């Protein structure tokens, strides 16, 4: 039985393409030569590759919106993983989705929609055989040095949350239609992340560096002046 | 035989259900909460005939658990990490009342700094309390050892509570193939709990009374110790019966490729699977290495450990815990078990790994084995515990420290 950290994955599936460029996540780290990367994206994304990795794209978010009406991707990603690796049959995959979602107490029609989504993802994905896998060089074991006061878990650079630009989390981007907006400032009050400021006339300005796309603003806007547009481009 | 894909949380909840427990005091804490969520749902739906009570803290939880067990109820409860420590005072009390119950600890490292990932400083803090301790490697073992723990704890030669440890995330949230036993088979294995001197409203009994006469205190502690030692043979007998009914074998320790090994890695809990993978890989490269897994930690299976480790050249004890200022908690116990043997190993190397869920790579295990081998060749002893760390981790830490200091 295998357990624990996967140091050299043969298959990597990335649900949110912006994670490809996230320095703390580094989803490509440890990928072996000849391994397979699946990215949930409707279009190709330029990825700097130092290695021979096969990249496959699929618009699972689009399919999830079509079948479930929401950007909920666990069944879809699971189905793609089953098919890519060629290890798990359609029947077993469907059984697993049904069982696991039933355990969560979801209603039958929601489960059925997820099964349809998973089936479509499974059938539209090709199994990819691994060719000529070669692993990364071994990790080196090092000695941990005593660092005195540097070794105390104090955070001196406080208030550093601004360094984390959360705009890459968005699936949908709220866009204000200035023709409909009455500058009532309700969106400004409701934004849970304080990402909306007001200009001199009182119209909202959304800071897309940090807006997570929760769409509370669009939901609360009494004039429906905030539209939700699906995010496609990341960098 | 019914095969299911169950998480560790689901498996131990099933064990409690199959054991027909009467009473479940509960309090949420990550990564334990899923267990009590499942049980509360089953009780609500009437699928389980038990009383489920949400307490206001782990101290109350353990107090309720122990007192209920003292009335003769079969009790199941679960907690993790800070929760276990918050209720710590009651561990010694429950053991002192000689009230058997089963507590599942879902291992999570202790604050500070705070984390959610596992190591064993939480469960090993309870080492001296009088609770029996079972450490599990996989989901099937987690389910089975809860059943075995009830049988051993409730045996009248033992009458002590038990902790079954499952690692947070690596077992609690990981689905594995599990043979879910039939209720009738569990009923055959686990007879009804027959309490000794249960507290009844009609026949009061005072438990845990003050003993201000020192010899009396000593006497009762010695009794507990002897009861715990009895649990070794009670466990062996129960495991035989378990094997007869369920066809799965459990000994106090598990040997992996030990026969011709000259170096033995000692581990416990879920990361043992990683150790076994390393043994497989190193065998492929010609290393004569094996692994010894400690399953029953209290009572300590001294005789089994002697049998497995005597005559070996090197022993590498990988402790996934740290007694700050000393080293691993398990290594000195292994060393003491082997000390008086003529054919004791040349080197017993203490190694610390996996703290706060840190991954252990093949290279780290291989490094530890090589260090032990070099010491044995030099006929030298270790300077202190080997603190495993990798270059990639050092680089990550360096960049995070820079960020934290604003530099």
């Amino acid at each position: 039985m295998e357990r624990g950290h996967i140091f050299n994955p043969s298959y990597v599936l990335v649900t949110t393409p912006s994670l490809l460029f996230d320095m703390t996540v580094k989803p490509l780290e440890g990928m072996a030569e000849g391994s397979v990367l699946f990215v949930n994206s409707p279009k190709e994304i330029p990825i700097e590759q130092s290695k021979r990795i096969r990249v496959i794209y699929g618009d699972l978010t689009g399919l999830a919106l079509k079948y479930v009406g929401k950007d909920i991707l666990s069944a879809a990603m699971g189905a793609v993983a089953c098919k890519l690796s060629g290890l798990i049959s359609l029947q077993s995959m469907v059984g697993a989705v049904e069982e696991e979602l039933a355990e969560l107490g979801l209603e039958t029609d929601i489960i059925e929609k997820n099964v349809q989504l998973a089936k479509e993802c499974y059938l539209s994905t090709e199994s990819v055989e691994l060719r000529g896998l070669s692993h990364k060089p071994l990790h080196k074991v090092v000695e941990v040095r005593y660092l005195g006061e540097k070794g105390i878990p104090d955070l001196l650079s406080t208030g550093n949350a601004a360094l984390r630009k959360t705009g890459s989390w968005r699936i949908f981007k709220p866009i204000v239609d200035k023709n409909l907006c009455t500058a009532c400032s309700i969106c400004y009050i409701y934004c849970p992340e304080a990402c909306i400021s007001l200009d001199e006339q009182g119209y909202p300005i959304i800071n897309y560096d940090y807006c997570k796309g929760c769409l509370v603003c669009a939901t609360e806007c009494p004039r429906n002046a905030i539209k939700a547009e699906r995010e496609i481009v990341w960098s | 035989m019914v095969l299911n894909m169950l998480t560790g949380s689901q498996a131990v909840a099933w064990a409690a259900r199959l054991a027909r427990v009467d009473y479940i005091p509960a309090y949420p804490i990550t990564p334990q909460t899923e267990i009590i969520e499942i049980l509360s749902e089953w009780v609500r739906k009437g699928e389980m005939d038990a009383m489920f009570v949400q307490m206001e803290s782990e101290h109350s939880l353990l107090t309720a658990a122990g007192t209920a067990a003292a009335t003769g109820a079969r009790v199941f409860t679960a907690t993790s990490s800070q929760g276990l420590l918050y209720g710590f005072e009651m561990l010694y009390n429950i053991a002192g009342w000689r009230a058997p119950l089963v507590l599942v600890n879902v291992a999570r490292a202790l604050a500070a700094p705070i984390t959610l990932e596992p190591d064993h400083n939480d469960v090993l803090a309870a080492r001296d309390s009088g609770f029996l301790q079972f450490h599990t490697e996989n989901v099937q073992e987690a389910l089975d050892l809860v059943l075995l723990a009830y049988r051993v704890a409730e045996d009248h030669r033992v009458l002590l509570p038990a902790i079954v440890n499952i690692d947070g995330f690596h077992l609690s949230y990981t689905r594995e193939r599990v043979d879910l036993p039939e209720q009738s088979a569990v009923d055959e294995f686990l007879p009804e709990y027959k309490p000794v001197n249960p507290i009844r409203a009609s026949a009061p009994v005072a438990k845990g009374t003050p003993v201000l006469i020192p010899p009396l205190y000593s006497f009762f502690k010695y009794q507990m110790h002897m009861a715990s030692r009895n649990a070794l043979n009670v466990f062996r007998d129960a495991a035989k019966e378990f094997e007869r009914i369920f066809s799965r074998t459990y000994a106090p320790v598990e040997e992996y490729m030990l026969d011709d090994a000259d170096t033995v890695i000692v581990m416990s809990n879920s990361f043992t699977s990683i150790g076994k993978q390393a043994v497989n890989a190193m065998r492929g490269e010609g290393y004569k290495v094996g692994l010894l897994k400690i399953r029953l930690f209290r009572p300590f299976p001294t005789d089994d450990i002697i049998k497995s480790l005597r005559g070996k050249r090197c022993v590498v004890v990988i402790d996934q815990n740290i007694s700050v200022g000393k080293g691993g908690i398990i290594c000195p116990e292994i060393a003491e078990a082997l000390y008086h043997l003529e054919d004791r190993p040349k080197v017993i190397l203490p190694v610390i790994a996996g703290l706060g869920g840190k991954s252990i790579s093949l290279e780290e295990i291989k490094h530890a084995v090589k260090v032990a081998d070099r010491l044995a060749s030099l006929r030298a002893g270790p300077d202190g515990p080997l603190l495993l760390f990798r270059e990639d981790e050092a680089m990550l830490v360096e960049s995070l420290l820079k960020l934290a200091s604003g530099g």
Side-chain angles (χ1 to χ4, degrees):
Chain A
M1 177 192 291
E2 296 206 7
R3 186 183 300 291
H5 194 94
I6 300 168
F7 290 102
N8 297 119
S10 305
Y11 298 93
V12 171
L13 290 90
V14 176
T15 310
T16 310
S18 59
L19 293 177
L20 289 166
F21 311 105
D22 189 312
M23 288 315 289
T24 53
V25 181
K26 295 190 234 174
L28 309 188
E29 194 177 57
M31 283 189 79
E33 297 274 346
S35 56
V36 179
L37 171 69
F38 176 89
V39 183
N40 168 32
S41 168
K43 59 172 205 172
E44 288 195 16
I45 296 168
I47 301 166
E48 269 184 53
Q49 271 178 250
S50 56
K51 279 171 286 189
R52 196 169 44 82
I53 294 172
R54 183 158 170 199
V55 190
I56 297 168
Y57 299 92
D59 181 17
L60 302 195
T61 301
L63 291 175
L65 292 171
K66 179 178 151 196
Y67 283 97
V68 190
K70 285 183 186 171
D71 51 309
I72 290 176
L73 297 170
S74 40
M77 292 299 281
V80 171
C82 290
K83 186 66 177 294
L84 262 187
S85 63
L87 292 173
I88 293 159
S89 71
L90 178 67
Q91 194 192 356
S92 297
M93 184 279 293
V94 168
V97 171
E98 284 172 343
E99 192 180 318
E100 193 151 339
L101 297 186
E103 276 170 13
L104 295 174
L106 296 183
E107 286 174 17
T108 336
D109 68 314
I110 303 282
I111 296 175
E112 185 47 35
K113 285 173 182 169
N114 273 281
V115 167
Q116 291 309 320
L117 166 65
K119 271 187 180 166
E120 161 99 41
C121 292
Y122 190 96
L123 295 171
S124 61
T125 305
E126 294 291 322
S127 294
V128 183
E129 264 187 64
L130 300 169
R131 285 189 303 260
L133 273 187
S134 69
H135 290 289
K136 265 184 63 163
L138 300 177
H139 294 291
K140 233 174 96 184
V141 177
V142 293
E143 205 167 311
V144 178
R145 287 182 303 119
Y146 179 64
L147 289 185
E149 62 191 51
K150 274 192 182 171
I152 299 169
D154 289 345
L155 186 64
L156 304 175
S157 162
T158 52
N160 61 11
L163 294 173
R164 184 91 170 126
K165 295 201 172 165
T166 49
S168 63
W169 298 10
R170 276 194 308 276
I171 308 290
F172 291 98
K173 181 179 191 174
I175 294 169
V176 181
D177 183 342
K178 285 221 169 165
N179 295 322
L180 293 174
C181 177
T182 60
C184 72
S185 69
I186 281 181
C187 59
Y188 164 77
I189 293 163
Y190 272 92
C191 176
E193 299 290 329
C195 286
I196 300 179
S197 54
L198 301 176
D199 68 11
E200 282 167 12
Q201 284 81 44
Y203 288 102
I205 303 164
I206 299 174
N207 185 337
Y208 293 114
D209 277 351
Y210 300 103
C211 166
K212 294 171 178 168
C214 71
L215 302 181
V216 167
C217 54
T219 311
E220 294 298 333
C221 177
R223 297 265 295 167
N224 288 325
I226 302 178
K227 300 280 177 293
E229 234 176 59
R230 200 180 144 197
E231 285 278 8
I232 302 289
V233 182
W234 297 270
S235 63
Chain B
M1 187 194 287
V2 190
L3 285 174
N4 292 269
M5 290 293 287
L6 298 184
T7 63
S9 302
Q10 289 173 319
V12 296
W14 266 108
R17 175 170 168 166
L18 290 165
R20 298 187 187 276
V21 300
D22 302 303
Y23 182 63
I24 307 159
Y27 193 79
I29 181 169
T30 300
Q32 174 279 134
T33 309
E34 194 186 2
I35 299 171
I36 57 169
E37 282 175 351
I38 295 165
L39 289 169
S40 70
E41 184 70 4
W42 285 341
V43 171
R44 184 185 68 81
K45 285 185 183 160
E47 292 173 18
M48 243 183 113
D49 183 19
M51 179 177 275
F52 182 97
V53 181
Q54 169 81 44
M55 308 305 293
E56 77 278 19
S57 76
E58 288 87 355
H59 192 281
S60 306
L61 172 145
L62 285 170
T63 309
T67 45
T71 68
R74 182 172 281 164
V75 178
F76 177 86
T77 190
T79 189
S80 278
S81 188
Q82 310 302 129
L84 188 72
L85 262 61
Y86 192 45
F88 200 78
E89 179 192 11
M90 292 315 296
L91 295 176
Y92 279 70
N93 275 289
I94 296 165
W97 299 337
R98 307 288 301 275
L101 56 86
V102 175
L103 163 70
V104 166
N105 181 66
V106 185
R108 165 181 149 188
L110 297 170
I114 197 161
T115 182
L116 300 174
E117 298 247 0
D119 66 33
H120 305 130
N121 268 100
D122 59 354
V123 66
L124 293 176
R127 179 187 69 170
D128 306 331
S129 64
F131 270 65
L132 312 173
Q133 276 201 23
F134 300 87
H135 293 187
T136 65
E137 182 191 348
N138 57 53
V139 174
Q140 180 76 64
E141 200 173 2
L143 189 154
D144 291 347
L145 286 186
V146 169
L147 299 176
L148 271 156
Y150 275 112
R151 173 130 170 182
V152 177
E154 291 170 359
D155 190 290
H156 284 197
R157 291 164 287 181
V158 178
L159 290 170
L160 285 169
I163 291 178
V164 176
N165 189 70
I166 73 170
D167 283 344
F169 295 82
H170 296 266
L171 291 194
S172 68
Y173 302 151
T174 303
R175 275 180 199 268
E176 291 176 11
R177 207 167 72 150
V178 172
D179 173 6
L180 190 59
E182 298 287 344
Q183 183 67 63
S184 57
V186 175
D187 290 343
E188 186 190 344
F189 174 72
L190 197 58
E192 203 178 320
Y193 167 36
K194 293 205 173 54
V196 172
N197 309 326
I199 297 172
R200 301 259 189 264
S202 54
V205 182
K207 295 203 179 248
T209 47
V211 284
L212 299 177
I213 304 157
L216 204 49
Y217 183 88
S218 292
F219 170 79
F220 288 129
K221 277 288 182 181
Y222 292 166
Q223 292 298 310
M224 276 171 73
H225 172 70
M226 288 186 262
S228 183
R229 298 307 297 170
N230 285 346
L232 280 163
N233 279 331
V234 171
F235 175 77
R236 284 193 186 93
D237 291 346
K240 265 182 219 151
E241 183 69 357
F242 192 91
E243 186 180 7
R244 183 183 68 76
I245 299 172
F246 302 104
S247 308
R248 287 188 293 279
T249 313
Y250 293 108
V253 297
E254 181 187 310
E255 296 186 343
Y256 187 75
M257 296 198 181
L258 276 205
D259 286 347
D260 64 337
D262 53 29
T263 298
V264 181
I265 299 162
V266 178
M267 292 180 81
S268 72
N269 290 295
S270 72
F271 279 27
T272 307
S273 302
I274 299 170
K276 288 176 179 173
Q277 280 167 250
V279 167
N280 292 344
M282 291 175 76
R283 283 268 171 183
E285 296 172 24
Y287 289 87
K288 280 192 172 179
V289 56
L291 185 143
L292 183 71
K293 174 172 98 180
I294 311 234
R295 180 179 283 127
L296 180 61
F297 183 64
R298 281 292 178 274
F300 194 68
T302 310
D303 293 347
D304 301 75
I305 282 162
I306 289 173
K307 196 171 138 284
S308 298
L309 297 183
R310 75 181 318 157
K312 302 296 182 192
R313 184 160 180 266
C314 300
V315 172
V316 175
V317 183
I318 300 184
D319 263 297
Q320 200 180 351
N321 63 77
I322 187 161
S323 172
V324 174
K326 170 66 179 84
I329 293 169
I330 298 177
C331 188
E333 302 205 357
I334 302 285
E336 189 259 0
L338 302 172
Y339 179 78
H340 292 96
L341 303 174
E342 290 277 332
D343 56 347
R344 64 174 179 260
K346 284 190 170 61
V347 169
I348 299 173
L349 179 69
V351 179
I352 308 292
L355 299 185
K358 183 186 117 48
S359 61
I360 307 178
S361 66
L362 166 64
E363 292 77 39
E364 286 166 282
I365 293 178
K366 201 189 276 183
H367 175 75
V369 167
K370 282 181 177 169
V371 168
D373 180 63
R374 196 166 58 237
L375 289 171
S377 303
L378 297 169
R379 307 186 82 63
D383 294 334
L386 184 61
L387 309 172
L388 288 182
F389 217 62
R390 300 192 308 268
E391 194 174 37
D392 58 313
E393 294 170 329
M395 282 159 64
L396 174 70
V397 167
E398 196 181 328
S399 70
L400 292 174
L401 286 182
K402 213 171 176 183
L403 195 65
S405 64

